[in-house]
């Protein structure tokens, strides 16, 4: 099961990112372990400066915007 | 070039609604339709075109460039990049920490973060088309000066003492690293290579994003303008809230705090206030306070700053905006 983390300090875009990922995973019937990280100290450890960012299995795959459903599909 | 919007308003208000230009309502509505349609079109076109051009400038490149810069030039550079770098206020904490952990002094980081909401390219173009280049130039100079002096002041009082401990720790480590391999980055921020399609994607989502965020502010701003235009006698504002009333500037600054908008949204408000005779200094003070001093921003900054620094920062902005207001009101007769 893929470990997916959404990094963001709690703005609308970050919430939308979580929604998109949940949606795509549900559509494709893939079980994922999705976690939202809002603690700035933890976000800092990923060296990300524009949020929302998406981390898949410990690797930053996207940052700075809400990903498209197509993008999300390639990560799952 | 803007005649088409006047025609649209003529048609809608005088023909469709059958109102006379002589009535207050007709006059106000005409003003509203003309301005809202003009600003909406300008906004969408400008945001798209500008986003297309600056899609490749990213914040990581700016950080690498600023790391290890001498403080004197650092404030100026921090403030300049703040003006041109695309960035949403929900990213201010990651940006703050990214800069800090690269060893960039707090003052330079804050010069960036203060200037960033005040000045952006869309705001500049909107200002030019609504209020003229002279006012635009003044606005840019004032915004950057506040960023530069603010950053300088925060370093002068050693603001890093009052960071949250994990942020202070990150700053220390970053500066240690800079000292160890002392090779300041001389290159200008390198740009990402993007295809035209990626640029278009970025520009399209920017235009949509920003438009959805600011359209209601355009409505409020122009609506306020239309109401002033149609119903408040010319000269009333000037007489009651003019440059002669010293207290109107701090009052405008305080009024701006609970209001929160980005610079693009507040410009129509500025236009309507200015054309209705509110002095330039009072208008600037009100709008800068609306854009740069807001509760959501402070709640965010609380995550990396202790109360003490937050209070100093807040007070500094309020004093700066009030001074700007007074100075401009005082100088206006000499322009």
């Amino acid at each position: 099961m893929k470990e997916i983390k959404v990094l963001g300090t709690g703005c609308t875009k970050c919430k939308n990112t979580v929604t998109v990922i949940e949606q795509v995973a549900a559509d494709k019937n893939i079980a994922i372990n999705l976690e939202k990280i809002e603690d700035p100290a933890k976000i800092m450890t990923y060296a990300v400066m524009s949020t929302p960012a998406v981390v898949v299995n410990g690797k930053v795959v996207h940052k700075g915007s809400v990903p498209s459903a197509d993008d999300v599909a390639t990560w799952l | 070039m803007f005649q088409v919007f006047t025609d649209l308003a003529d048609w809608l208000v005088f023909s469709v609604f059958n109102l006379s230009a002589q009535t207050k309502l007709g006059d106000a509505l005409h003003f509203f339709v003309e301005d809202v349609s003009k600003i909406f079109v300008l906004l969408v076109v400008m945001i798209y075109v500008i986003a297309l051009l600056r899609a490749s400038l990213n914040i990581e490149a700016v950080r690498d460039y600023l790391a290890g810069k001498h403080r004197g030039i650092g404030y100026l550079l921090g403030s300049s990049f703040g003006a041109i770098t695309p960035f949403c206020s929900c990213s201010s904490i990651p940006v703050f920490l990214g800069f800090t952990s690269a060893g960039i002094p707090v003052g330079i980081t804050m010069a960036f973060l203060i200037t960033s909401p005040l000045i952006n390219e869309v705001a500049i173009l909107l200002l030019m088309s609504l209020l003229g280049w002279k006012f635009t130039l003044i606005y840019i100079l004032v915004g950057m000066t506040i960023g530069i002096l603010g950053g300088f002041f925060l370093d002068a009082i050693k603001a890093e003492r009052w960071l949250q401990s994990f942020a202070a720790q990150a700053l220390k480590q970053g500066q240690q690293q800079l000292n160890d391999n002392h090779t300041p980055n001389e290159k200008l921020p390198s740009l990402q290579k993007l295809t035209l399609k990626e640029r278009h994607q970025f520009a399209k989502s920017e235009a949509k994003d920003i438009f959805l965020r600011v359209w209601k502010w355009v409505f409020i701003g122009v609506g306020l303008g239309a109401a002033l235009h149609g119903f408040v006698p010319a000269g009333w504002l000037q007489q009651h809230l003019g440059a002669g009333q010293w207290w109107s500037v701090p009052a405008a600054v305080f009024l701006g705090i609970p209001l929160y908008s980005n610079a693009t949204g507040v410009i129509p408000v500025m236009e309507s206030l200015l054309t209705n005779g509110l002095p330039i200094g009072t208008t600037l003070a009100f709008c800068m306070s609306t854009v740069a001093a807001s509760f959501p921003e402070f709640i965010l900054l609380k995550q990396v700053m202790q109360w003490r620094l937050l209070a100093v920062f807040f007070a500094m902005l309020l004093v700066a905006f009030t001074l700007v207001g007074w100075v401009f009101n005082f100088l206006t007769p000499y322009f």
Side-chain angles (χ1 to χ4, degrees):
Chain A
M1 193 157 60
K2 292 212 165 145
E3 296 275 337
I4 300 186
K5 296 187 175 82
V6 173
L7 316 181
T9 39
C11 58
T12 341
K13 284 188 189 176
C14 312
K15 288 184 193 112
N16 292 343
T17 305
V18 172
T19 319
V20 172
I21 296 174
E22 279 170 347
Q23 187 72 47
V24 174
D27 286 350
K28 303 184 77 170
N29 224 348
I30 300 173
I32 51 166
N33 196 352
L34 187 62
E35 191 189 349
K36 193 156 182 297
I37 297 186
E38 295 191 354
D39 178 7
K42 278 197 192 134
I43 294 176
M44 192 174 67
T45 60
Y46 290 95
V48 161
M49 284 207 294
S50 31
T51 55
V54 182
V55 177
V56 178
N57 287 345
K59 193 163 163 278
V60 179
V61 293
H62 181 90
K63 63 189 174 205
S65 65
V66 180
S68 69
D70 292 345
D71 284 343
V72 175
T74 63
W75 305 328
L76 299 182
Chain B
M1 180 178 150
F2 294 141
Q3 182 60 33
V4 52
F5 301 109
T6 315
D7 295 343
L8 173 76
D10 283 348
W11 172 76
L12 196 68
V13 176
F14 302 145
S15 308
V16 178
F17 294 151
N18 211 6
L19 289 166
S20 153
Q22 261 64 56
T23 62
K24 281 179 178 167
L25 185 64
D27 190 29
L29 203 63
H30 185 274
F31 177 89
F32 184 78
V33 172
E34 181 182 346
D35 253 37
V36 165
S37 59
K38 181 167 76 185
I39 291 170
F40 276 3
V41 171
L42 277 172
L43 262 184
V44 172
V45 173
M46 281 173 189
I47 298 171
Y48 180 83
V49 172
I50 291 164
L52 215 54
L53 296 175
R54 60 118 221 247
S56 47
L57 181 66
N58 67 7
I59 189 93
E60 283 80 6
V62 171
R63 175 198 55 195
D64 296 345
Y65 180 67
L66 286 178
K69 282 281 175 297
H70 187 266
R71 278 178 195 236
I73 187 95
Y75 302 119
L76 178 65
L77 287 172
S79 173
S80 312
F81 279 113
I84 60 172
T85 312
F87 137 91
C88 136
S89 72
C90 55
S91 279
S92 43
I93 294 310
V95 167
F96 184 93
L97 290 171
F99 278 26
T100 304
S101 54
I104 297 172
V106 174
I108 297 180
T109 306
M110 290 313 290
F112 179 94
L113 284 178
I114 295 171
T115 316
S116 198
L118 286 174
I119 305 176
N120 62 59
E121 30 355 275
V122 179
I124 288 172
L125 284 181
L126 210 55
L127 274 174
M128 287 222 272
S129 45
L130 294 179
L131 294 168
W133 65 269
K134 221 172 175 179
F135 186 84
T136 310
L137 206 62
I138 291 172
Y139 182 86
I140 296 173
L141 284 178
V142 170
M144 286 191 55
T145 307
I146 291 179
I148 292 166
L149 293 182
F152 178 79
F153 171 76
L154 288 172
D155 274 346
I157 61 164
K158 297 198 169 51
E160 65 272 12
R161 286 179 292 174
W162 300 314
L163 290 176
Q164 299 285 13
S165 57
F166 77 94
Q169 192 66 34
L171 179 64
K172 224 181 257 162
Q173 281 172 5
Q175 283 174 335
Q176 191 63 45
Q177 262 173 22
L178 273 185
N179 287 336
D180 289 349
N181 47 10
H182 193 76
T183 43
N185 195 347
E186 290 303 331
K187 284 188 311 221
L188 275 169
S190 59
L191 302 176
Q192 293 168 277
K193 293 231 174 352
L194 289 176
T195 65
L196 201 59
K197 188 165 165 258
E198 283 169 321
R199 280 175 189 271
H200 165 73
Q201 277 303 335
F202 175 78
K204 204 176 81 182
S205 81
E206 279 284 296
K208 197 175 134 206
D209 248 36
I210 298 179
F211 186 80
L212 287 179
R213 217 166 46 218
V214 306
W215 71 267
K216 44 188 181 293
W217 287 97
V218 175
F219 256 69
I220 295 172
V222 180
L224 184 69
L228 290 171
H229 188 83
F231 298 100
V232 177
W236 187 91
L237 270 182
Q238 189 143 34
Q239 205 185 334
H240 292 89
L241 292 171
Q245 282 82 10
W246 66 269
W247 51 266
S248 64
V249 173
V253 170
F254 276 98
L255 193 63
I257 300 170
L259 299 174
Y260 175 52
S261 161
N262 71 11
T264 318
V266 88
I267 288 166
V269 185
M270 292 175 92
E271 187 205 14
S272 62
L273 291 174
L274 279 174
T275 50
N276 281 286
L278 195 68
I280 181 172
T282 315
T283 310
L284 270 176
F286 171 72
C287 293
M288 291 192 156
S289 163
T290 305
V291 170
S294 73
F295 291 125
E297 179 81 9
F298 286 98
I299 291 166
L300 281 178
L301 284 176
K302 174 70 185 77
Q303 297 179 312
V304 290
M305 296 177 174
Q306 296 173 21
W307 283 117
R308 196 158 174 180
L309 179 51
L310 208 56
V312 169
F313 177 61
F314 200 34
M316 180 191 88
L317 285 185
L318 298 187
V319 170
F321 297 147
T322 306
L323 287 178
V324 165
W326 279 336
V327 168
F328 274 92
N329 282 352
F330 178 74
L331 289 178
T332 312
Y334 306 101
F335 269 118

